[in-house]
Amino acid sequence: MIELKNLTKRFQTDKGVLTAVDDVSLSISKGEIFGIIGYSGAGKSTLIRLLNGLEKPTAGSVDIQNRKISAIRGVELRKARQKVSMIFQHFNLLWSRTVKENIEFPLEIAGVSKTERNARALELIELVGLTGRENAYPSQLSGGQKQRVGIARALANDPEVLLCDEATSALDPQTTDSILDLLVSINERLGLTIVLITHEMHVIRKICHRVAVMEAGKVVELGDVLSIFQMPREQITKRFVAQVTEAEDASETIRHLREIYPAGELVKLGFIGDQTEQPVLTELIRKFPIEVNIVQGNISRTQRGAYGTLMLQLKGSEEEIRAAIAFLEDRNVRTEVMTGV
């Protein structure tokens, strides 16, 4: 569906050449919800602008449905963009137009008849849950409602790809979840391919099938979201995963426990899928003559299943603790002894 090959984008600045996207290659399948995550300056916004031709690459190529977006110009590019829509962090609505008129705007530009524009706009208003608000102006809408208008407008030309540029960053958590639920529903109902960029791992966890982690213009980690949660490799990925799998004060808790209980081991367990529902801890306590204290735990749900983390303090003889850890590993529970915390 989407193929990026050795994609590079450089900008000339007062301080010299800046490489915003550095030799990125990846494929995105039709109907996939694909996330791109990174901190500010990672290059993710530039990458998404390369996908719809708002930026041209310095090197490499962008192919969407066998159309080389990176090479086409003029009328051909404008037609291609009708199939690659975009929603934005700050909505970008026309404030002098009503909800329905905002949604009709791209159809108007495309030369669609008034009757067809009206019918399509009303259909999309129902799809995004704004029935009864079609004659309201943006100033009369909440942030979530404005973003729903933005989504409906982006769908007006029946696109193949929907790009989301930090689409929930300006929204409160509850509204963010409602917009993410809407995107999942649209993906399932329309089979639409969605590519979203964000700096929030909660967004990735909730709706994405796969994720690319960007740092300094490069994709440093790529994979299925559940696998990334289970075993992040890069330090930056571990920080993102910790946003939603660990309490903010986990490190302080560990240090505090080490002061109180200098003996024993602190062990972090990772559970995936059906493992999160198995009574592994009960078996451990029954089987081994050790003291087990639960420090903290969490279960995160992704589009492909659940991933849980649990921090334990194991107290007892060194031999029994080693045997207990081996028992957990035999049950395919990922274990990590928290040394040097």
Side-chain angles (χ1 to χ4, degrees), residues 44-286:
K44 57 190 188 298
S45 292
T46 301
L47 182 61
I48 208 168
R49 288 170 63 85
L50 289 165
L51 288 178
N52 64 1
L54 290 175
E55 296 284 356
K56 292 297 179 184
T58 305
S61 63
V62 178
D63 282 52
I64 300 179
Q65 285 288 73
N66 298 317
R67 291 191 298 268
K68 197 171 288 294
I69 301 296
S70 53
I72 59 179
R73 299 285 190 279
V75 173
E76 190 178 358
L77 178 59
R78 287 194 292 274
K79 286 183 179 179
R81 280 182 182 153
Q82 290 180 0
K83 295 301 179 181
V84 184
S85 288
M86 194 164 181
I87 58 175
F88 306 88
Q89 178 180 358
H90 297 296
F91 321 125
N92 289 11
L93 302 180
L94 299 170
W95 297 90
S96 62
R97 290 191 173 217
T98 64
V99 166
K100 187 163 76 72
E101 290 168 345
N102 263 281
I103 297 168
E104 289 179 347
F105 184 63
L107 296 170
E108 188 178 325
I109 293 174
V112 176
S113 71
K114 185 175 181 180
T115 301
E116 289 180 279
R117 292 200 308 265
N118 180 72
R120 179 63 172 157
L122 292 176
E123 175 188 337
L124 290 169
I125 285 168
E126 181 179 359
L127 177 68
V128 300
L130 287 176
T131 301
R133 303 294 284 163
E134 51 266 30
N135 295 318
Y137 287 89
S139 61
Q140 299 171 306
L141 303 176
S142 67
Q145 289 173 328
K146 290 172 188 172
Q147 194 57 283
R148 287 172 184 270
V149 177
I151 292 170
R153 182 183 58 186
L155 296 176
N157 276 314
D158 193 22
E160 298 163 348
V161 178
L162 179 63
L163 306 178
C164 306
D165 186 3
E166 297 278 10
T168 59
S169 294
L171 305 175
D172 62 75
Q174 185 174 353
T175 305
T176 291
D177 281 347
S178 71
I179 294 299
L180 296 178
D181 288 340
L182 175 60
L183 290 174
V184 170
S185 174
I186 289 169
N187 167 259
E188 293 173 347
R189 291 175 63 177
L190 305 181
L192 190 65
T193 303
I194 299 176
V195 182
L196 62 87
I197 66 169
T198 183
H199 63 274
E200 299 172 305
M201 199 62 180
H202 165 73
V203 173
I204 299 295
R205 182 201 67 187
K206 187 172 177 66
I207 73 168
C208 293
H209 302 126
R210 289 192 302 142
V211 60
V213 182
M214 290 194 71
E215 185 176 29
K218 290 182 175 291
V219 171
V220 297
E221 195 156 355
L222 172 68
D224 179 272
V225 170
L226 190 55
S227 298
I228 293 290
F229 266 76
Q230 182 188 22
M231 194 170 293
R233 298 190 313 272
E234 300 296 324
Q235 194 59 43
I236 185 173
T237 312
K238 291 177 181 178
R239 291 202 301 270
F240 278 125
V241 169
Q243 288 180 2
V244 288
T245 61
E246 296 181 8
E248 292 181 5
D249 60 350
S251 295
E252 183 61 35
T253 300
I254 293 167
R255 284 193 292 270
H256 180 62
L257 281 170
R258 284 204 177 281
E259 291 173 3
I260 298 174
Y261 304 110
E265 294 285 5
L266 290 177
V267 181
K268 182 178 179 181
L269 311 183
F271 302 86
I272 189 169
D274 292 341
Q275 290 178 339
T276 58
E277 300 175 7
Q278 300 302 312
V280 177
L281 191 56
T282 301
E283 292 181 47
L284 179 73
I285 294 170
R286 287 175 177 171

